Amino acid sequence: PLFVFVTMVSATPIAILLATGASVSAFSFRGGATRPRTSLSMSAALIVQNKGGGHGELGFQLAKNLSSNSKITSITILQDSACKDSAEPFVSYATDIPDVKIVKADLTDESMTAEDMQKLLGESYEYVWDNASKGAVGAGKAVVDCAKAWDSKLLTYVSSAGIYQPDDVFPMPETTTVKESAGQVLYEKYAMENKVPFVSFR
């Protein structure tokens, strides 16, 4: 099942999430004062993409979906350089998402800072999907710090249902206890502490 943890979400970001085919069923928190939402026109999107597996396919399909959304004017994939270019979905980037900008970097580098990430990307983004980070260190921390500096309208994080400590209740409610030391939990907390508009898919 897909667990969705939502914080500081308004109708505009929800519209973008629904445009990607996501089903949003969640409880919400407000980590700070929300700011007025503006038009989705002239919106740049960033997808932080891991090296493969199910996450790799998810980021690829998201890029394809956003490419057909007229309200998203540019898409960049920050791709983990450990990906295998000859394997799917990466081999299909050129044919299926030719207008998407691809920037490669070592996303496992724990010394990466927001300044390093900004130099790599060279621009700011209204919408950020983090499909790679496993904690609030290195590139993961940099993503959150950049989203805050860019005043992004929404940071969406692909977390993991593995952060829960399941008991005998199934399906698990979103109130199920989580592993406080899990990297994904620390990422979520860091984003909320920084008052970044934030959605986490578990």
Side-chain angles (χ1 to χ4, degrees), residues 146-169:
C146 281
K148 182 175 182 178
W150 296 331
D151 198 24
S152 297
K153 296 176 182 177
L154 186 66
L155 166 61
T156 301
Y157 178 51
V158 181
S159 181
S160 171
I163 68 174
Y164 289 108
Q165 294 180 320
D167 47 31
D168 293 330
V169 179

Side-chain angles (χ1 to χ4, degrees), residues 40-45 66 69-75 99 126:
L40 290 183
S41 62
M42 302 302 292
S43 293
L66 291 177
N69 189 321
S70 61
K71 294 182 179 180
I72 297 294
T73 54
S74 70
I75 304 168
D99 296 325
E126 284 74 28

Side-chain angles (χ1 to χ4, degrees), residues 85-107:
D85 291 330
S86 60
E88 292 291 358
F90 315 109
V91 71
S92 295
Y93 278 5
T95 55
D96 289 21
I97 48 173
D99 296 325
V100 173
K101 179 181 178 182
I102 311 296
V103 178
K104 288 192 175 182
D106 179 4
L107 298 183

